[in-house]
């Protein structure tokens, strides 16, 4: 059962909808309109053949289209299969600067039935934007999303 309003909204939005891309698109739009002080919210989808992430549905400025497994915040979260909350991306070794205005980032790996789907990525122009509470909420949001894909 979902607890946060954001997860409840996502669950209601995606109920009876089965289109993968449409669901990711609406999920990124919901995040972008609901979270304050962010400048990018979206998904990178895992390409098992090339072992990299490909740009998926998002809201924000144009973004990097391919991220190798283990590269940048997204690729590192993918490789480690754990949430990464980075207070200052400019201090993150190997950070990939798709938008120079981004200063902090949170990435949540998306794994369903032991299969890597991709990652949820959210950027902010502010340093230290993402709290432990945000992390809990976004992990819950991701679990709700994975029920619908």
């Amino acid at each position: 059962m979902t607890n946060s309003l954001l997860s409840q909204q996502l669950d209601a939005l995606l109920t009876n909808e089965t289109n993968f891309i449409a669901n990711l698109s609406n999920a990124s739009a919901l995040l972008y309109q609901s979270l304050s002080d962010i400048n990018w919210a979206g998904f990178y989808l895992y390409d098992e053949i090339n072992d990299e992430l490909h740009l998926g549905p998002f809201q924000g400025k144009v973004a990097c289209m391919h991220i190798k497994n283990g590269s940048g915040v997204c690729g590192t979260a993918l490789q480690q299969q754990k949430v990464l909350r980075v207070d200052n991306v400019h201090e993150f070794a190997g950070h990939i600067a798709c938008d120079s205005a981004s200063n902090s980032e949170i990435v949540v790996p998306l794994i369903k039935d032991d299969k890597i789907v991709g990652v949820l990525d959210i950027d902010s122009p502010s340093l230290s934007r993402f709290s432990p509470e945000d992390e809990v909420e976004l992990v819950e949001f991701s679990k709700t999303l994975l029920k619908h894909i």
Side-chain angles (χ1 to χ4, degrees):
M1 171 153 195
T2 59
N3 295 324
S4 77
L5 179 59
L6 195 57
S7 289
Q8 290 175 21
Q9 290 173 322
L10 180 66
D11 197 41
L13 184 65
L14 302 185
T15 295
N16 298 322
E17 181 54 60
T18 58
N19 185 283
F20 178 66
I21 297 300
N23 286 350
L24 293 178
S25 297
N26 270 334
S28 64
L30 178 62
L31 288 168
Y32 197 75
Q33 74 183 19
S34 299
L35 299 177
S36 63
D37 196 26
I38 65 168
N39 59 343
W40 202 91
F43 300 94
Y44 281 93
L45 305 176
Y46 184 59
D47 173 2
E48 189 174 352
I49 293 168
N50 295 306
D51 193 29
E52 67 181 10
L53 293 165
H54 291 195
L55 181 63
F58 71 94
Q59 299 283 311
K61 292 184 179 180
V62 297
C64 302
M65 295 182 58
H66 304 273
I67 299 174
K68 287 286 182 197
N69 191 353
S71 296
V73 180
C74 288
T76 301
L78 172 72
Q79 184 179 60
Q80 296 177 0
Q81 294 189 17
K82 71 175 192 178
V83 176
L84 287 184
R85 199 167 21 94
V86 180
D87 291 333
N88 183 345
V89 295
H90 308 290
E91 295 176 352
F92 188 90
H95 173 251
I96 301 167
C98 297
D99 180 357
S100 61
S102 293
N103 287 309
S104 63
E105 184 171 3
I106 188 167
V107 178
V108 179
L110 302 172
I111 301 168
K112 183 172 184 169
D113 301 327
D114 295 322
K115 182 176 164 96
I116 300 168
V117 176
V119 298
L120 164 61
D121 180 26
I122 305 174
D123 297 347
S124 172
S126 298
L127 294 169
S128 303
R129 159 61 181 88
F130 303 103
S131 68
E133 294 77 19
D134 291 325
E135 181 177 331
V136 168
E137 182 172 40
L138 292 170
V139 166
E140 181 183 317
F141 182 90
S142 296
K143 287 178 181 175
T144 301
L145 173 65
L146 287 168
K147 286 185 348 185
H148 295 280
I149 62 172

